[in-house]
């Protein structure tokens, strides 16, 4: 059995970024799902951080999806996600950082639209197989915790919407300047994995943890917004990367 363990929340797009990279490199791993809230006892002990993902690789422990990304590139250079040429490499590093930061706005904006839907807490808590009564007590507590932790409040959500638009434009401009398929050069890179995974909750590609809604039950204005997103080049690109590279 592999001694590579990804500590994660299944629904986290940052954890998805790491899962994608591990899968792409063909590295075996097991997942350990930590319960949101109490997870911090474990993450602080393991890596002195509050967030997931954390990767345990034999005796080594690495926390934070970007640090994990560079750790994996260094120790498992097969199917490299970093280009060989210095300028392309620098561009990948820069874009990875930008899309990584955008993940915060994706999360805040989306929670701002759907946090009160029961499907959200179901997607978050169902993987733990808790007794029904425990889950029904935990759901409102977790929802309020998420609201506070990620500042799901109207002004912050609006700012995130603006930053999200800027991020989508950056993605579209970058694609326009290049091949249209990948952000840098002709091959999948860390920049693509970061952008596609961190935007994926907005597009909910089939089979991903965000594919949880019957969209026709969402508010009509939100349905329109999500459809527009799916139709524009950035949305099409995320779906194409999931179909072609995930
Ligand atoms: N910069 C971090 C961000 C990870 C992150 O925000 N993870 C969230 C889940 S999407 C988390 O663990 N939140 C729990 C907490 O902050 O207590 C990374 O890239 O790994």
């Amino acid at each position: 059995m592999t001694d590579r363990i990804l500590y994660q929340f299944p629904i986290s797009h940052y954890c998805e970024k790491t899962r994608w990279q591990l899968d792409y490199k063909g590295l075996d791993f097991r997942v350990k799902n930590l319960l949101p809230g109490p997870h911090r006892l474990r993450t602080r002990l393991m890596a002195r951080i509050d967030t997931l993902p954390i990767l345990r690789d034999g005796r080594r422990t690495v926390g934070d999806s970007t640090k994990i990304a560079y750790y994996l590139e260094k120790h498992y250079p097969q199917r490299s996600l970093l280009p060989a040429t210095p300028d392309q490499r620098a561009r990948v590093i820069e874009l990875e950082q930008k899309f990584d930061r955008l993940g915060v706005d994706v999360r805040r904006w989306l929670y701002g639209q759907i946090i009160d839907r029961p499907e959200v807490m179901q997607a978050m808590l169902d993987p733990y197989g808790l007794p029904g009564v425990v889950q029904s007590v935990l759901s409102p507590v977790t929802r309020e915790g998420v609201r506070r932790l990620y500042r799901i409040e109207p002004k912050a959500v609006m700012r995130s919407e603006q930053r999200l638009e800027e991020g989508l434009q950056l993605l579209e401009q970058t694609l326009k300047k290049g091949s249209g398929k990948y952000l840098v050069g002709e091959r999948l890179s860390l920049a693509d994995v970061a952008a596609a995974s961190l935007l994926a909750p907005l597009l909910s590609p089939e089979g991903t943890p965000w594919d949880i809604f019957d969209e026709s039950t969402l508010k009509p204005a939100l349905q329109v917004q999500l459809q527009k997103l799916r139709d524009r080049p950035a949305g099409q690109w995320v779906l194409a990367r999931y179909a072609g590279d995930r």
Side-chain angles (χ1 to χ4, degrees):
M1 195 194 270
T2 176
D3 57 359
R4 196 172 296 116
I5 306 174
L6 178 67
Y7 292 81
Q8 66 156 9
F9 300 136
I11 203 179
S12 155
H13 52 349
Y14 287 99
C15 296
E16 164 67 357
K17 184 179 147 199
T18 300
R19 288 194 299 263
W20 188 333
Q21 189 184 10
L22 286 162
D23 287 339
Y24 183 77
K25 287 184 170 293
L27 295 169
D28 279 351
F29 64 101
R30 286 181 286 144
V31 294
K32 184 144 182 51
N33 297 333
L34 299 187
L35 193 63
H39 76 281
R40 285 189 170 198
L41 296 172
R42 195 74 174 265
T43 58
R44 280 184 194 162
L45 268 177
M46 285 177 72
R48 298 208 188 102
I49 57 175
D50 288 331
T51 56
L52 293 169
I54 292 177
L55 181 71
R56 178 158 277 168
D57 188 20
R59 294 158 70 98
R60 284 181 287 227
T61 302
V62 191
D64 185 283
S65 66
T66 300
K67 286 192 184 147
I68 296 171
Y70 290 107
Y71 166 85
L72 290 175
E73 290 308 313
K74 180 171 170 203
H75 293 274
Y76 303 96
Q78 71 267 27
R79 303 200 81 198
S80 176
L81 286 165
L82 286 172
T85 61
D87 54 337
Q88 285 197 347
R89 205 179 174 95
R91 183 71 178 136
V92 165
I93 292 169
E94 183 193 346
L95 288 171
E96 196 278 338
Q97 276 171 8
K98 286 190 172 158
F99 289 110
D100 195 74
R101 279 199 293 272
L102 191 66
V104 171
D105 296 301
V106 168
R107 182 172 62 199
R108 184 177 296 118
W109 181 77
L110 192 57
Y111 275 136
Q113 316 308 312
I114 59 169
I115 187 136
D116 290 315
R117 293 280 305 221
E119 295 91 331
V120 176
M121 284 304 121
Q122 281 158 16
M124 202 173 273
L125 296 174
D126 279 356
Y128 302 91
L130 301 164
V133 59
V134 176
Q135 186 156 331
S136 60
V137 171
L138 268 186
S139 287
V141 177
T142 307
R143 182 183 294 113
E144 286 322 297
V146 167
R147 215 191 286 279
R148 241 179 306 116
L149 181 66
Y150 300 137
R151 286 199 301 122
I152 315 300
E153 46 192 66
K155 261 193 181 160
V157 170
M158 260 170 61
R159 270 199 304 278
S160 283
E161 181 163 357
Q162 274 164 19
R163 283 198 284 260
L164 182 54
E165 179 54 37
E166 287 160 19
L168 294 168
Q169 283 177 20
L170 170 69
L171 177 59
E172 287 167 353
Q173 283 155 11
T174 310
L175 289 170
K176 234 180 182 172
K177 280 190 225 143
S179 68
K181 186 168 180 187
Y182 297 119
L183 288 168
V184 181
E186 306 291 325
R187 293 183 45 228
L188 189 77
S189 73
L190 268 184
D192 300 297
V193 171
S197 54
L198 293 167
L199 287 166
L202 303 172
L203 282 313
S204 45
E206 219 181 300
T208 60
W210 311 287
D211 184 16
I212 56 173
F213 286 112
D214 170 359
E215 278 195 16
S216 65
T217 65
L218 296 174
K219 278 184 258 157
L222 180 58
Q223 285 184 43
V224 170
Q225 251 175 317
L226 292 176
Q227 190 55 47
K228 272 194 184 151
L229 189 61
R230 206 163 289 138
D231 290 341
R232 66 187 278 177
Q236 291 286 308
W237 179 84
V238 172
L239 293 171
R241 294 287 59 76
Y242 264 83
D245 293 290
R246 180 70 180 99

